């Protein structure tokens, strides 16, 4: 398989280097695969996604996305990627249709294709009836759907999804999961997924990477990682690799109450 | 292929006109018609009412110095507009969407500017409508008017561009944390103070009289020459003096304005990369130390029990927000400016009068903190046993530790500054303003319980601010006219207390039943 995302000692430090958001990341994601990046809060997942989308610049190292260098060919990288960011701001005074048209135009979707594609995406996400309502009146789940549609509006070969189902109801989450599967299996798109929801990662991802304190601590298939850590589930493997609280400590805070 | 700046400008324009979406298509034509009627008929008719006075003024020595000042004010206001609007609501999250797309930051900046420009052009046209109508009685020709309008539009467009660039740079800096967004809101309020100071100085600071002095007028004109607004003002005063002839002196002034616009445009474009960036420059998070003497004192006031902790916590959330502190600074500055320029008090009553107009605003600002932090935070108290009572008790004590104290301190300072003030009158006036401010504190809390405002831009917030402030201003003035100074003391203070207690009780009842 052809490597589509290739990072070489990719690092992003803050301050005088004491905060290592991403530290010497070496990662390969292949064409057509669904890759999941897991990690606790503040591990460096979103920073990695921002680096690979040329939103921020690395402190050292580099990466190529679809053959384009993130340092020297930022515009080309942006053109071939779609991003559903973790906490993006919507243009709340635009309607869903206006917003998707706007995003499509920013990604140079030809004018003769754009209206039809916007219509199709709105129908796909069940937003067709509310297409002309301002986004400020949408629920969180509906806003997430609009953002997902915006990430796909230019039909990019690589899609970055940062917590795509976190605010969706079960039905919408199922639809998004099916969409990710179809994008990967039927449309041959490469998906880079960040999520805390381990069952989703297990179900959707061909391979996963676990990042902790900016460093990649494991890469492989789910069964590889479970086997390597002598665990029985991905959850156990994740805790093993990133650390957790021992069961005995969980009720320690009640000791004062128990004593009295 | 459509230019990216055009796409961004179009989206920005759509967002700004979202409230009139049903007529958006016809909006430019409707606006064009209204503005044409304004420029051709309404503005000349309004100017006609004061023709003689205005002609005399325009031909006077004062006008030669006043017009550059007026134009400088317009220039600064157009820089100030986009900055203040941005500071009130810093939204940097949208930048991720734009920065992840293949768009040059220059396109984003230009698009934002062009998106807001049509709406600012409406304001510019209103100004220019007045200015051109102003020169009709002097016999200024249409070609002269065209030059005036052109130079005025160029100057204001430069100012708007500078304001847009500064706003974009500040947004990137201030949009990165909730703390910096809080600083932005505080700054938006602080930026009003210099403008208020200038307006008050013109209203009551004898500025026009001083400009009539040829020496002072020339000095001010020379100082103002460095501002591009003065170049446009120079054209206006030149045409007023020589109606009918354009003259060669116009050329360098107009050319200077165009060069300034081009130059500021060039610099702004070069700064666009810095204005749109998602890079984090600092990674410091605010930390707190152990409670200092102030919080220990608040805890002591609260009885050092669970209520003391509740009161201290409420105080901490209030004091740690720059926006809240900026309100106190703003109110104190406003009171000082009103007294310095407008009231010029010889005794304590005028100080009491200005304070009685201003401190209801501070009471509202303090009370608004109860609901502005969001419905979830506000409704937290409903979940707690006897939560409504605890909320009201805490907020009343917290409000009383701020509003009457600030009012009392301001009055005490005035006692010190105004010569010939006796200790007795100082104590009476200080006590009276403390009682008045305390009454307004409970009135404002009652208003926000009756009509919670979760957003500063909502109508609830505006009404909660306007009703006590305007109501009490009219009541104070009415009592003064009808019963004199004693009426203000013996009538206003007890009535505000009675109304405040009533509204607070109604608010408590309403909040208890609120779902």
């Amino acid at each position: 398989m052809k490597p589509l995302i290739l990072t070489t000692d990719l690092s992003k430090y803050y301050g005088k280097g004491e905060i290592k958001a991403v530290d010497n990341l070496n990662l390969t994601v292949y064409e057509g695969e669904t890759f999941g990046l897991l990690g606790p809060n503040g591990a460096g997942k979103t920073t990695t996604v921002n680096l690979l989308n040329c939103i921020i610049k690395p402190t050292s190292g580099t990466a190529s996305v679809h053959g384009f260098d993130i340092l020297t060919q930022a515009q080309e990288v942006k053109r071939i990627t779609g991003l559903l960011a973790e906490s993006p701001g919507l243009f709340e005074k635009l309607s869903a249709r206006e917003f998707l048209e706007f995003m499509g135009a920013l990604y140079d979707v030809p004018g003769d294709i754009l209206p039809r594609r916007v219509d199709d995406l709105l129908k796909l996400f069940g937003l067709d009836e509310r297409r002309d309502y301002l986004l400020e009146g949408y629920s969180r789940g509906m806003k997430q759907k609009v953002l997902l549609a915006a990430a796909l509006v230019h039909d990019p070969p690589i899609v970055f999804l940062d917590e795509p189902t976190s605010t969706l109801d079960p039905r919408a989450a199922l639809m998004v999961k099916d969409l990710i599967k179809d994008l990967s299996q039927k449309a041959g798109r490469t998906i880079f997924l960040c999520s805390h929801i381990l069952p989703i990662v297990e179900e959707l991802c061909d391979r996963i990477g676990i990042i902790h304190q900016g460093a990649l601590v494991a890469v492989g298939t789910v069964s590889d990682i479970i086997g390597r850590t002598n665990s029985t589930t991905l959850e156990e493997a994740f805790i093993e690799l990133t650390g957790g609280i021992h069961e005995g400590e969980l009720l320690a805070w009640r000791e004062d109450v128990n004593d009295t | 292929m459509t230019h990216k700046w055009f796409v961004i400008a179009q989206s920005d324009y759509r967002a700004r006109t979202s409230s009139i979406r049903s007529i958006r298509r016809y909006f430019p034509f409707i606006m064009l018609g209204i503005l044409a009627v304004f420029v051709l008929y309404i503005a000349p008719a309004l100017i006609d009412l004061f023709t003689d006075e205005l002609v005399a003024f325009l031909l006077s020595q004062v006008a030669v110095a006043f017009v550059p000042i007026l134009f400088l004010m317009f220039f600064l206001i157009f820089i100030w507009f986009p900055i203040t609007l941005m500071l009130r609501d810093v939204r940097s999250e949208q930048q991720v969407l734009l920065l992840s797309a293949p768009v040059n930051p220059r396109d984003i900046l230009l698009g934002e500017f062009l998106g807001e420009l049509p709406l600012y052009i409406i304001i510019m046209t209103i100004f220019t409508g007045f200015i051109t109508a102003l020169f009709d009685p002097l016999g200024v020709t249409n070609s002269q008017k065209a030059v005036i309008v052109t130079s005025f539009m160029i100057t204001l467009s430069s100012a708007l561009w500078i304001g847009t660039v500064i706003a974009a740079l500040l947004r990137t800096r201030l949009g990165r944390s909730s703390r910096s967004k809080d600083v932005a809101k505080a700054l938006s309020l602080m930026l009003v103070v210099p403008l208020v100071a200038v307006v008050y100085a013109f209203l009551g600071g004898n500025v026009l009289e001083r400009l009539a002095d040829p020496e002072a007028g020339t000095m001010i004109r020379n100082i103002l020459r460095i501002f591009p607004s003065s170049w446009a003002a120079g054209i206006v005063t030149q045409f007023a003096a020589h109606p009918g002839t354009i003259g060669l002196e116009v050329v360098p002034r107009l050319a200077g304005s165009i060069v300034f616009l081009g130059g500021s445009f060039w610099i702004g474009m070069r700064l666009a990369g810095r204005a749109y960036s998602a890079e984090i420059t600092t990674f410091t998070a605010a930390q707190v130390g152990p409670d200092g003497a102030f919080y220990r004192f608040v805890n002591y006031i609260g009885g050092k029990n669970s209520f003391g902790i509740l009161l201290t916590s409420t105080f901490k959330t209030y004091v740690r927000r720059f926006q809240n502190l900026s309100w106190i600074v703003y109110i104190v500055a406003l009171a000082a400016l009103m007294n310095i320029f407008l009231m010029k008090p010889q005794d304590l009553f005028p100080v009491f009068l200005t304070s009685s107009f201003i401190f209801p605003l501070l009471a509202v600002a303090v009370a608004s903190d109860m609901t502005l932090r969001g419905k979830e935070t506000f409704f937290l108290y409903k979940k707690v046993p006897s939560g409504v009572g605890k909320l009201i008790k805490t907020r009343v004590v917290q409000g009383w530790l701020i509003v009457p104290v600030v009012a009392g301190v301001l009055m005490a300072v005035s006692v010190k500054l105004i010569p010939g003030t006796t200790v007795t009158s100082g104590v009476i006036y200080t006590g009276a303003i403390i009682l008045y401010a305390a009454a307004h504190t409970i009135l404002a809390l009652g208003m926000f319980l009756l009509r919670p405002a979760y957003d500063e831009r909502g109508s609830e917030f505006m009404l909660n601010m306007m009703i006590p402030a305007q109501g009490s201003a009219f009541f104070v003035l009415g009592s003064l006219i009808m019963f004199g100074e004693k009426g203000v003391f013996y009538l206003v203070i007890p009535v505000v207390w009675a109304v405040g207690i009533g509204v607070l009780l109604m608010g408590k009842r309403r909040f208890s039943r609120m779902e």
Side-chain angles (χ1 to χ4, degrees):
Chain A
M1 275 198 295
K2 181 183 161 192
L4 218 59
I5 300 172
L6 193 67
T7 72
T8 313
D9 296 329
L10 190 67
S11 302
K12 181 69 183 177
Y13 303 150
Y14 290 107
K16 289 174 182 165
E18 67 271 23
I19 296 161
K20 295 178 176 172
V22 173
D23 191 21
N24 287 317
L25 185 73
N26 288 294
L27 182 71
T28 307
V29 177
Y30 298 98
E31 186 171 20
E33 81 168 331
T34 301
F35 183 86
L37 191 62
L38 291 175
N41 291 330
K45 301 187 296 293
T46 301
T47 307
T48 305
V49 168
N50 284 346
L51 286 166
L52 293 175
N53 280 277
C54 307
I55 292 171
I56 55 176
K57 288 193 170 71
T59 310
S60 62
T62 188
S64 72
V65 179
H66 213 306
F68 297 114
D69 190 278
I70 61 162
L71 290 173
T72 56
Q73 293 169 296
Q75 294 300 310
E76 285 78 2
V77 171
K78 288 176 179 185
R79 211 176 293 281
I80 50 98
T81 57
L83 169 66
L84 171 71
E86 190 186 19
S87 52
L90 270 171
F91 289 70
E92 298 209 323
K93 293 289 181 186
L94 295 183
S95 68
R97 181 182 55 79
E98 288 172 344
F99 178 68
L100 292 181
E101 281 176 358
F102 167 62
M103 290 305 291
L106 285 184
Y107 280 99
D108 299 318
V109 178
D112 52 338
I113 295 175
L114 186 58
R116 180 67 184 272
R117 187 169 290 168
V118 168
D119 282 349
D120 290 345
L121 283 168
L122 287 169
K123 278 180 193 150
L124 174 70
F125 286 98
L127 299 167
D128 195 38
E129 283 182 9
R130 293 180 66 97
R131 53 189 289 142
D132 290 322
Y133 285 70
L134 291 187
L135 293 173
E136 65 187 7
Y138 277 37
S139 67
R140 278 175 70 185
M142 288 164 74
K143 284 178 183 171
Q144 181 81 340
K145 286 182 188 177
V146 174
L147 287 163
L148 197 49
L152 300 174
V153 74
H154 56 300
D155 195 17
I158 304 169
V159 185
F160 290 86
L161 302 171
D162 201 350
E163 300 290 355
T165 57
S166 58
T167 56
L168 298 180
D169 62 51
R171 184 196 288 217
L174 182 67
M175 191 274 282
V176 170
K177 278 197 290 183
D178 289 343
L179 177 69
I180 293 170
K181 280 181 199 166
D182 280 359
L183 279 169
S184 171
Q185 290 160 10
K186 293 182 186 167
R189 297 303 184 233
T190 304
I191 313 286
F192 192 105
L193 180 76
C194 296
S195 180
H196 289 298
I197 306 169
L198 299 183
I200 287 182
V201 175
E202 273 185 286
E203 185 184 339
L204 295 174
C205 297
D206 301 311
R207 286 189 313 130
I208 60 168
I210 296 179
I211 189 169
H212 181 49
Q213 293 177 346
L216 198 65
V217 291
V219 190
T221 62
V222 171
S223 52
D224 274 351
I225 289 174
I226 291 172
R228 219 180 296 161
T229 52
N230 295 322
S231 311
T232 52
T233 62
L234 180 58
E235 190 177 27
E236 278 179 27
F238 181 81
I239 299 295
E240 181 66 32
L241 289 163
T242 60
I245 302 170
H246 291 293
E247 258 180 58
E249 295 168 6
L250 293 175
L251 290 178
W253 59 276
R254 294 189 76 244
E255 275 171 11
D256 289 348
V257 179
N258 292 335
D259 291 345
T260 55
Chain B
M1 194 173 64
T2 318
H3 289 289
K4 298 287 169 63
W5 55 260
F6 180 77
V7 173
I8 293 165
Q10 190 184 37
S11 138
D12 199 79
Y13 176 74
R14 279 176 167 177
R16 285 172 196 275
T17 52
S18 62
S19 55
I20 48 158
R21 286 184 330 140
S22 53
I23 57 155
R24 190 188 276 150
R25 189 174 294 179
Y26 316 106
F27 178 67
F29 304 106
I30 295 170
M31 217 54 238
L32 213 63
I34 293 172
L35 288 174
V37 170
F38 176 82
V39 171
L40 296 174
Y41 301 105
I42 299 174
L46 287 172
I47 295 293
D48 234 19
L49 297 173
F50 312 99
T51 304
D52 293 340
E53 293 87 343
L54 286 170
V55 169
F57 175 76
L58 283 170
L59 295 174
S60 72
Q61 182 64 35
V62 178
V64 181
F66 178 73
V67 174
I69 294 175
L70 186 70
F71 274 46
L72 179 64
M73 285 293 291
F74 285 144
F75 185 74
L76 295 178
I77 285 171
F78 269 74
I79 293 178
W80 176 84
F81 261 139
I83 297 172
T84 307
L85 288 178
M86 182 282 299
L87 289 173
R88 276 185 200 161
D89 188 16
V90 182
R91 290 191 180 189
S92 58
E93 297 84 0
Q94 292 171 347
Q95 286 196 11
V96 175
L97 280 175
L98 295 171
L99 291 171
S100 64
V103 188
N104 193 313
R106 291 176 184 187
D107 286 328
I108 305 177
L109 184 62
L110 184 60
E112 269 191 16
F113 172 70
L114 293 175
E116 68 188 357
L117 192 60
L119 302 177
Y120 283 105
I121 282 179
I122 295 171
I123 306 172
M124 291 183 201
T125 311
I126 293 169
F127 286 158
T128 46
F130 272 120
I131 288 171
T132 50
L134 201 62
F135 288 93
D136 262 339
L138 295 174
V140 169
T141 62
N142 283 339
S143 47
Q144 283 184 316
K145 280 185 196 168
V147 175
I148 291 173
V149 170
T150 308
S151 64
F152 195 65
M153 289 287 194
I154 290 171
T155 306
L156 293 191
S157 300
S158 315
L160 187 63
W161 171 254
I162 292 167
T164 307
V165 174
I166 295 172
L169 286 165
L170 283 174
R171 181 172 47 209
T172 296
R173 290 266 158 201
L174 297 174
R176 285 171 181 154
S177 66
S178 53
R179 196 171 175 80
S180 54
K181 284 180 183 174
D182 175 34
V183 170
K185 285 195 172 177
L187 271 176
S188 76
L189 200 59
M190 288 296 93
L191 284 176
V192 181
V193 175
L195 284 180
V196 172
V198 174
V199 172
Y200 282 4
F202 269 99
L203 288 175
N206 301 329
V207 175
L208 289 179
E209 287 81 351
R210 283 176 198 174
L211 289 177
D213 171 30
E215 202 176 313
T218 310
M219 192 185 75
I220 289 170
R221 230 174 34 247
N222 286 338
I223 293 169
L224 294 180
R225 258 186 201 142
I226 55 167
F227 294 102
S229 53
S230 294
W231 309 335
I235 294 173
V236 170
T237 45
Q238 185 194 326
F239 287 170
H242 309 286
T245 48
I246 288 186
L248 278 175
E249 299 93 324
V250 169
V251 177
R253 285 175 175 149
L254 203 55
S257 302
I258 293 167
V259 169
F260 183 79
L261 176 66
S264 53
F265 202 76
W266 183 78
I267 293 169
M269 284 301 208
R270 288 184 69 88
L271 291 171
R274 286 189 205 171
Y276 298 95
S277 158
E279 294 282 357
I280 300 165
T281 48
T282 59
F283 227 94
T284 51
Q287 264 186 313
V288 295
D291 286 355
F294 176 70
Y295 290 130
R296 288 203 299 275
F297 170 71
V298 172
N299 194 4
Y300 175 78
I301 298 262
K304 281 188 167 179
N305 50 21
S306 62
F307 178 70
I309 295 170
L310 199 60
L311 185 63
T312 314
S313 307
T314 308
F315 243 102
K316 283 176 181 172
T317 59
Y318 183 84
V319 172
R320 285 176 187 162
R321 210 174 272 277
F322 289 111
Q323 189 194 0
N324 290 334
L325 300 179
S326 71
W327 263 107
I328 298 175
V329 178
Y330 174 72
I331 292 293
V332 171
L334 212 59
L337 290 171
M338 277 180 93
N339 283 317
I340 292 167
F341 290 119
L342 303 182
M343 303 303 275
K344 298 165 192 165
Q346 301 298 315
D347 59 68
L348 286 176
F349 187 72
V351 181
F352 179 85
L353 214 54
T354 47
S355 301
S356 69
F357 299 152
I358 288 171
F359 280 98
L361 288 175
L362 183 61
V364 170
V366 172
S368 68
D369 186 62
M370 178 171 66
T371 59
L372 279 181
R373 307 305 150 218
K375 194 173 182 179
E376 291 76 15
T377 317
F378 183 47
F379 271 58
L380 199 83
Y381 287 92
K382 288 193 66 128
K383 162 72 182 70
V384 181
S386 313
V388 178
K390 282 176 186 166
L391 168 73
I392 292 170
K393 192 177 161 190
T394 315
R395 287 290 176 171
V396 167
V397 177
Q398 182 227 1
W400 280 350
L401 286 173
I402 298 170
V403 187
V405 172
V406 177
V409 168
L410 199 78
M411 185 59 82
V413 171
S414 306
V415 171
K416 196 88 181 141
L417 291 177
I418 297 170
T421 310
T422 62
V423 175
T424 317
S425 67
V427 170
I428 289 170
Y429 276 101
T430 306
I433 198 65
I434 286 173
L435 281 173
Y436 180 80
H440 263 286
T441 306
I442 56 170
L443 174 63
L445 282 168
M447 294 291 294
F448 277 90
L449 286 168
L450 269 177
R451 189 197 293 269
Y454 303 115
D455 182 358
E456 280 164 339
R457 289 169 300 175
S459 59
E460 291 88 359
F461 182 77
M462 290 310 292
L463 277 174
N464 287 352
M465 180 156 277
M466 298 303 281
I467 292 171
Q470 300 290 336
S472 62
F474 281 118
F475 188 43
V476 167
L477 286 175
S479 309
L480 181 66
I481 293 164
M482 289 177 75
F483 308 108
E485 290 185 14
K486 281 186 180 169
V488 175
F489 284 130
Y490 297 135
L491 184 68
V492 172
I493 295 173
V495 168
V496 176
W497 265 100
V499 173
I501 290 168
V503 172
L504 187 67
L505 290 175
M506 282 196 292
K508 184 183 178 186
R509 194 178 149 89
R510 168 105 170 84
F511 182 49
S512 302
R513 294 177 176 192
M514 208 179 284
E515 288 179 0

